[in-house]
C-alpha cells in the first residue's frame, strides 16, 4: 500500500468513527434520505423524539426502515414513563414514573414495570432507552428532575435504579442510567444554563454516586453524563466535558466499562458556553463515547458539523485518534449486544397488561374525605410551564379520565395569573377539583389553592407533582406523577368520593 493510500484509508476510518459516535435526531415519521445515507457510511445510532412517533405501527415501520440500512443500528429514545414519554407523547404514558414507583417501594413492581415498558419498546424496534434517572432528588426545588427521580432517599433510589435496569434489559433494551454524577441537588435546568452543585466529596460519594454504583452492579449498558459543574470533582469543566469525572471517576474508580452517552449537546449548559462542536470534541476527549444531539438540532448539517469537528480535532492532534476509535468501538459493541439480546418471557396475565395502572393506584396517597354531591365536579387544572424534558405537548391531569367515569364533568385550564374567583364562578355549585403540579414551587398556585379552600372547604386537591406542601382541602390526593395512568387512578378516587359509590 502506498503512503497516500494508507493516509486515505486512515482518514476514511476516522470519518467512519466520527459518524459512529453521533446519536442524532431528525424530523418526520419516516427516515429522510440523508439519514439513511449516513447510516450506510457508518452512522451507528439514531435518536427518536416525540415528533417522530405517531403510533406503534408507524414506529415499527420506521425502525425497520433504519435497519434495512444497518441491521444493528442503535435506535434510542427518551422513554422514562411517567411525565417523560415519547412513545405516548400525545396521550400520556401507560406507566407511572419513578417517583410513583419509589413511593410504592416494591422493587419487584419496578422491575416488572420496566420490563413491560421495555417489551413495548422492543416490539417497536427501539433498543436503547435513555432511562432510568438515578438522580437523588435531594433539592425539592429542582426544576428539571422532581418526579423523574425515585425520591430523596439515596438507598431507595439505588435499589429501584438497579431494579429498573434489570427489568428493562431483560426485555432486550439497553438501559442508559442518567444523569451522572447526579442532577438531583440543582436549582437550575441545564437546558437553560449550567447548574452547579456545591457539596463536598464525602456527600457526593454517600449520596449522588450510590445509585450509579447500583446501576453498574446491575449491568447497565450505558450511562448518560450530566451538564453540571461539580467543583468537588472538577472546578472548571462540567461533567460531560471532564476527564476527571468521566474517565477518572466513572471508568477508573467505579469500574464502569459500558457506553458513556452525553446529555443533549444543544442544551444551553454546553451550547451556550462551549458550542456544540467544541463541546463534542471535549466530551469525546474526556471519555464520552456517544454524542446525543437532535432534540433541537435535527438536520444533516448538524451531523456533518459534528463529524467534521471530530475529524479535524484528530488531524490537529487535539483529540487522539485512539480515543475516538475506542469510543466508536464501544458504540458498536452495544449495537452488537442489542442484536444478540434474548428477551425474557413476558410476565403472565394481567400483571403485565395492566401493570401501569396497578402501580399508579398503589402510589396514591389519599388524605381526608369528600361528601357525595348531586352535581358533577368541576376540574380546575392550574397549569405551570412544563420543563423542556417533559414538554408541553403531553396532556396531563385527571379531567379527561374523570369525564369518562362521570359524564357531565366540566373542566378548565388556569395558567399563572388566574384567580380563585374565576374558578369559583366557572364551577358554580359543583364540587371543585383543583389539580396542581409542584404547588410548593409556585407561589401563585398556593395562593389560589388557599383561596379556594377558604371559600369552599369541600374542595378536592390533586397534587400531580412532588407532594411537598401540607395536604389541604376536604380530600387531598397525591399521585406522585402526572402520567395518564396517574390521572386515571386519581379520577377513580374522586369519582367514588363525590358519588358515594
Amino acid at each position: 500500500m502506498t503512503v497516500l493510500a494508507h493516509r486515505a484509508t486512515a482518514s476514511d476510518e476516522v470519518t467512519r468513527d466520527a459518524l459512529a459516535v453521533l446519536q442524532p435526531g431528525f424530523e418526520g415519521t419516516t427516515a429522510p434520505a440523508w439519514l439513511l445515507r449516513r447510516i450506510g457510511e457508518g452512522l451507528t445510532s439514531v435518536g427518536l423524539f416525540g415528533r417522530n412517533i405517531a403510533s406503534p405501527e408507524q414506529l415499527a415501520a420506521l425502525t425497520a426502515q433504519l435497519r434495512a440500512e444497518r441491521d444493528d443500528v442503535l435506535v434510542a429514545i427518551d422513554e422514562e414513563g411517567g411525565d417523560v414519554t415519547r412513545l405516548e407523547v400525545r396521550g400520556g404514558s401507560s406507566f407511572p414514573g419513578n417517583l410513583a414507583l419509589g413511593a410504592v417501594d416494591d422493587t419487584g413492581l419496578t422491575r416488572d414495570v420496566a420490563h413491560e415498558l421495555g417489551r413495548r419498546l422492543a416490539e417497536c424496534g427501539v433498543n436503547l432507552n435513555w432511562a432510568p434517572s438515578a438522580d437523588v432528588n435531594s433539592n425539592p426545588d429542582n426544576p428539571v428532575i422532581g418526579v423523574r427521580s425515585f425520591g430523596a432517599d439515596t438507598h431507595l433510589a439505588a435499589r429501584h435504579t438497579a431494579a429498573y435496569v434489570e427489568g428493562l434489559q431483560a426485555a432486550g433494551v439497553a438501559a442508559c442510567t442518567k444523569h451522572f454524577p447526579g442532577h438531583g441537588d440543582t436549582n437550575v435546568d441545564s437546558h437553560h444554563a449550567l447548574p452547579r452543585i456545591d457539596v463536598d466529596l464525602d456527600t457526593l460519594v454517600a449520596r449522588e454516586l450510590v445509585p450509579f454504583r447500583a446501576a453498574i452492579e446491575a449491568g447497565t449498558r450505558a450511562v448518560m453524563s450530566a451538564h453540571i459543574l461539580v467543583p468537588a470533582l472538577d472546578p472548571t469543566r462540567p461533567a460531560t466535558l471532564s476527564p476527571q469525572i468521566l474517565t477518572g471517576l466513572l471508568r477508573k474508580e467505579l469500574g464502569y466499562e459500558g457506553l458513556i452517552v452525553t446529555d443533549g449537546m444543544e442544551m444551553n449548559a454546553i451550547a451556550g458556553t462551549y458550542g456544540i462542536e467544541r463541546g463534542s470534541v471535549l466530551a469525546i476527549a474526556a471519555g464520552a463515547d456517544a454524542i446525543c444531539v437532535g432534540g433541537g438540532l435535527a438536520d444533516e448539517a448538524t451531523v456533518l458539523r459534528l463529524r467534521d469537528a471530530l475529524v479535524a480535532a484528530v488531524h490537529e492532534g487535539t483529540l487522539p485518534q485512539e480515543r475516538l476509535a475506542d469510543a466508536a468501538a464501544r458504540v458498536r459493541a452495544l449495537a452488537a449486544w442489542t442484536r444478540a439480546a434474548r428477551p425474557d418471557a413476558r410476565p403472565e396475565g394481567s400483571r403485565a397488561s395492566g401493570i401501569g395502572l396497578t402501580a399508579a393506584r398503589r402510589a396514591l396517597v389519599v388524605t381526608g374525605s369528600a361528601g357525595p354531591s348531586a352535581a358533577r365536579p368541576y376540574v380546575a387544572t392550574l397549569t405551570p410551564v412544563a420543563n423542556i424534558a417533559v414538554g408541553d405537548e403531553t396532556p396531563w391531569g385527571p379531567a379527561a379520565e374523570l369525564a369518562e367515569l362521570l359524564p357531565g364533568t366540566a373542566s378548565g385550564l388556569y395558567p399563572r395569573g388566574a384567580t380563585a374567583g374565576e374558578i369559583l364562578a366557572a364551577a358554580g355549585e359543583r364540587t371543585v377539583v383543583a389539580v396542581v403540579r409542584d404547588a410548593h414551587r409556585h407561589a401563585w398556585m398556593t395562593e389560589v389553592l388557599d383561596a379556594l379552600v377558604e371559600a369552599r372547604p369541600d374542595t378536592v386537591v390533586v397534587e400531580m407533582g412532588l407532594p411537598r406542601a401540607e395536604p389541604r382541602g376536604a380530600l387531598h390526593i397525591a399521585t406522585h406523577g402526572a402520567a395518564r395512568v396517574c390521572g386515571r387512578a386519581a379520577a377513580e378516587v374522586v369519582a367514588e368520593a363525590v358519588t358515594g359509590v
Side-chain angles (χ1 to χ4, degrees):
M1 179 182 295
T2 67
V3 173
L4 289 177
H6 176 76
R7 287 177 179 173
T9 301
S11 181
D12 290 345
E13 182 178 348
V14 171
T15 300
R16 285 194 298 272
D17 286 347
L19 277 173
V21 303
L22 302 181
Q23 288 190 352
F26 61 95
E27 299 284 350
T29 54
T30 59
W34 69 261
L35 183 65
L36 299 176
R37 184 169 62 254
R38 299 305 171 189
I39 291 173
E41 294 173 358
L43 186 68
T44 310
S45 309
V46 175
L48 300 181
F49 298 85
R51 62 176 180 255
N52 304 122
I53 300 169
S55 70
E57 295 76 18
Q58 167 271 323
L59 178 56
L62 168 58
T63 58
Q65 186 185 12
L66 297 172
R67 292 205 166 85
E69 295 295 326
R70 182 186 181 113
D71 64 356
D72 67 342
V73 66
L74 286 169
V75 182
I77 199 170
D78 192 4
E79 182 58 50
E80 299 176 14
D83 291 30
V84 180
T85 178
R86 308 298 180 237
L87 197 60
E88 299 180 276
V89 67
R90 291 167 183 81
S93 181
S94 300
F95 303 93
N98 285 3
L99 188 66
L101 295 172
V104 177
D105 196 13
D106 177 346
T107 54
L109 179 66
T110 296
R111 189 176 294 107
D112 288 347
V113 165
H115 185 273
E116 178 62 10
L117 176 58
R119 187 192 66 80
R120 295 191 190 186
L121 290 173
E123 278 189 345
C124 296
V126 176
N127 54 12
L128 172 59
N129 191 7
W130 294 319
S133 168
D135 307 297
V136 179
N137 198 56
S138 54
N139 184 349
D141 291 324
N142 194 314
V144 69
I145 301 300
V147 298
R148 301 168 65 197
S149 165
F150 289 109
D153 180 277
T154 297
H155 297 288
L156 178 146
R159 61 180 174 265
H160 285 277
T161 295
Y164 198 105
V165 167
E166 291 166 357
L168 189 64
Q169 295 189 164
V173 176
C176 182
T177 305
K178 60 188 182 185
H179 307 80
F180 187 82
H183 210 312
D185 192 16
T186 58
N187 58 12
V188 172
D189 185 342
S190 49
H191 290 90
H192 302 301
L194 179 62
R196 178 186 176 107
I197 297 182
D198 284 308
V199 297
D200 58 41
L201 184 59
D202 289 343
T203 300
L204 289 168
V205 170
R207 188 178 66 188
E208 270 73 19
L209 297 185
V210 174
F212 289 97
R213 289 183 184 274
I216 292 168
E217 291 174 5
T220 186
R221 292 287 166 174
V223 169
M224 179 176 282
S225 66
H227 301 330
I228 56 174
L229 188 66
V230 188
L233 299 174
D234 187 332
T236 59
R237 286 189 180 177
T240 295
L241 312 183
S242 170
Q244 293 97 310
I245 294 174
L246 298 188
T247 299
L249 176 58
L250 183 54
R251 287 278 187 231
K252 295 181 179 177
E253 191 170 332
L254 300 186
Y256 176 66
E257 292 296 330
L259 190 76
I260 299 177
V261 184
T262 72
D263 207 343
M265 295 301 285
E266 66 266 63
M267 293 164 63
N268 210 42
I270 299 297
T273 52
Y274 293 85
I276 64 167
E277 292 97 333
R278 180 171 178 241
S280 295
V281 170
L282 291 174
I284 297 296
D289 305 304
I291 301 296
C292 176
V293 65
L297 299 173
D299 54 21
E300 184 177 21
T302 299
V303 172
L304 297 181
R305 283 166 56 197
L306 297 183
R307 181 202 65 182
D308 293 348
L310 292 166
V311 170
V314 169
H315 291 160
E316 292 164 2
T318 54
L319 173 63
Q321 183 176 349
E322 296 77 11
R323 170 77 275 273
L324 179 63
D326 173 64
R330 291 181 190 274
V331 174
R332 294 175 187 128
L334 181 58
W337 178 87
T338 61
R339 185 171 53 181
R342 296 290 181 266
D344 288 352
R346 178 180 181 177
E348 293 296 328
S350 61
R351 181 154 176 83
S353 60
I355 195 169
L357 182 55
T358 297
R361 288 167 176 158
R362 291 181 63 185
L364 295 182
V365 174
V366 181
T367 306
S369 61
S373 171
R376 289 302 189 234
Y378 182 80
V379 182
T381 304
L382 308 185
T383 57
V385 175
N387 74 59
I388 293 176
V390 173
D392 290 312
E393 65 270 35
T394 304
W396 65 281
E401 301 288 342
L402 192 55
E404 181 181 320
L405 294 171
L406 298 177
T409 296
S411 62
L413 300 177
Y414 295 89
R416 181 173 184 167
T419 66
E422 293 174 50
I423 295 171
L424 293 171
E429 297 303 314
R430 298 169 181 262
T431 298
V432 175
V433 180
V435 183
V436 295
R437 201 171 184 175
D438 292 336
H440 70 283
R441 293 185 54 242
H442 305 283
W444 68 272
M445 279 189 196
T446 301
E447 292 173 7
V448 172
L449 285 182
D450 287 343
L452 285 174
V453 171
E454 182 178 357
R456 294 281 295 273
D458 64 340
T459 296
V460 175
V461 177
V462 181
E463 169 60 84
M464 303 197 76
L466 200 65
R468 291 285 299 177
E470 287 296 317
R472 69 191 77 197
L475 176 67
H476 186 278
I477 304 169
T479 63
H480 299 92
R484 177 177 54 79
V485 287
C486 297
R488 178 71 182 193
E492 291 172 349
V493 173
V494 174
E496 181 179 356
V498 300
T499 61
V501 178

